[in-house]
Amino acid sequence: MVQYFSNAFHYDHPWANVQMGMWQKYPNPQCAHVISVDVLNRSVDPQTGIIRTERLLGCKQAAPAWAVKFLGGTADAYVREVSFVDPHSKTTTIHSVNLSLSDYLTVVEKITYVPSIAFPKTRTTFRQTAEIQARPKLWTSVGAKIELMSLDRFKQNAIRGKEGFEGVLRKLFGEDNTQEA
Amino acid sequence: MAHSLKPECTPLKHKYDACFNAWFEGYLSPVLADQAEPDRTRALQEKREEYDRTCGKVWEAYRGCLSGALTQKGLDDLLQQAREENPLLEPESAEARR
């Protein structure tokens, strides 16, 4: 019993700008209302130049309030996020998983940002997948219900996250690029 | 820029973020991305040194400030568990992502 979600769209900003924006505000559907962001580890690979960053995102609990109460969770939820930014291949991959309530439910999200094939200099393709799975600890029928509710929440936040991030990019780099050039 | 989970560390975190962001902008400059070997390795080495030189101190200060905060919030066990399940030391291959 796993719920899947996938999504793809583009940002009308060059890959490098999207990456710079990412550190300032990153649209994580698991963390629509960010309270805190901390960098736990960061390294630059001497051979490949890939930057690995492990961050801890604190957010207002994304699970439905009744579920949090039922499972004995807290108001704040935390997400571990590991990203790899490869400046050479211009590929960013981000993996995030919830830490809070993870005994009951895991939401694994994977994101990639690459330059668009059609407009590599001005447009960035975003791909996102999520796997939402209730753990055996959770009573089956309740588990199924929570999986579906989490999926709904994730979908809503994915849309909000895209809109929010577009706003940040506009603020940082001006209006979206036009596609002539 | 977002706050730290430990409020006292937020000023240091902002300082570190600002340092990293400035460095990162240069790091992604087309010059570095498009250089051929062996210039690329040399440029990469220089950028790594520049990062340590300019952001190393504030990074250590921020890290020091944060220490203990995870334990206090009961997050270190959860984090350890997540790291054991999936260390994520390297990017997953393109095949694995599909």
Side-chain angles (χ1 to χ4, degrees):
Chain A
M1 200 171 55
V2 184
Q3 301 294 330
Y4 294 97
F5 169 80
S6 77
N7 194 13
F9 52 81
H10 62 257
Y11 289 107
D12 278 323
H13 292 271
W15 179 82
N17 287 6
V18 173
Q19 299 324 299
M20 281 181 254
M22 190 176 85
W23 301 122
Q24 328 234 349
K25 196 261 173 190
Y26 156 63
N28 190 316
Q30 291 201 53
C31 205
H33 305 285
V34 180
I35 299 167
S36 67
V37 178
D38 281 286
V39 183
L40 301 179
N41 287 294
R42 181 170 269 151
S43 57
V44 184
D45 188 290
Q47 260 82 50
T48 61
I50 295 173
I51 303 174
R52 177 186 184 274
T53 304
E54 184 183 41
R55 299 201 298 184
L56 184 66
L57 315 182
C59 16
K60 274 193 194 149
Q61 184 61 263
W66 65 266
V68 175
K69 207 174 163 192
F70 177 74
L71 301 171
T74 55
D76 295 351
Y78 288 89
V79 171
R80 175 195 184 218
E81 175 209 85
V82 178
S83 63
F84 298 93
V85 178
D86 185 343
H88 198 53
S89 71
K90 294 193 168 67
T91 304
T92 302
T93 57
I94 303 161
H95 181 289
S96 56
V97 65
N98 60 302
L99 296 178
S100 308
L101 297 180
S102 57
D103 281 351
Y104 300 102
L105 183 85
T106 53
V107 182
V108 175
E109 184 201 24
K110 293 173 189 179
I111 285 177
T112 59
Y113 290 99
V114 291
S116 114
I117 294 169
F119 303 101
K121 287 196 192 318
T122 56
R123 186 179 270 190
T124 303
T125 303
F126 168 94
R127 285 193 194 89
Q128 171 188 41
T129 62
E131 284 180 29
I132 300 170
Q133 183 168 29
R135 298 238 168 161
K137 239 184 172 177
L138 204 59
W139 178 39
T140 321
S141 66
V142 176
K145 207 178 279 174
I146 292 179
E147 273 182 357
L148 284 169
M149 292 187 74
S150 302
L151 180 68
D152 275 350
R153 190 67 70 99
F154 194 94
K155 283 180 183 165
Q156 289 166 18
N157 288 345
I159 297 164
R160 253 184 252 145
K162 175 181 190 269
E163 288 165 355
F165 194 37
E166 274 172 341
V168 170
L169 290 172
R170 265 197 300 276
K171 219 164 99 187
L172 286 171
F173 304 109
E175 282 307 304
D176 299 348
N177 293 306
T178 50
Q179 291 312 317
E180 67 222 339
Chain B
M1 277 187 281
H3 295 256
S4 168
L5 69 92
K6 188 175 170 187
E8 306 93 281
C9 306
T10 297
L12 278 172
K13 181 208 137 56
H14 285 177
K15 250 176 107 176
Y16 168 71
D17 278 347
C19 188
F20 173 79
N21 289 341
W23 173 84
F24 184 70
E25 194 170 346
Y27 191 69
L28 289 190
S29 69
V31 185
L32 186 70
D34 302 337
Q35 264 173 351
E37 294 301 350
D39 294 351
R40 201 178 83 84
T41 306
R42 201 178 316 126
L44 179 57
Q45 179 62 23
E46 277 166 20
K47 289 306 279 182
R48 291 179 78 234
E49 284 167 11
E50 181 196 315
Y51 174 70
D52 288 342
R53 202 168 52 239
T54 54
C55 303
K57 257 193 196 143
V58 67
W59 166 250
E60 289 304 328
Y62 166 49
R63 295 276 300 149
C65 179
L66 204 58
S67 78
L70 298 189
T71 315
Q72 212 175 24
K73 298 223 171 212
L75 289 168
D76 47 357
D77 287 347
L78 291 169
L79 197 60
Q80 198 48 42
Q81 193 183 320
R83 283 171 178 159
E84 277 165 21
E85 270 179 37
N86 200 345
L88 290 162
L89 298 177
E90 280 172 16
E92 291 177 350
S93 67
E95 276 92 317
R97 285 204 306 271
R98 258 164 226 151

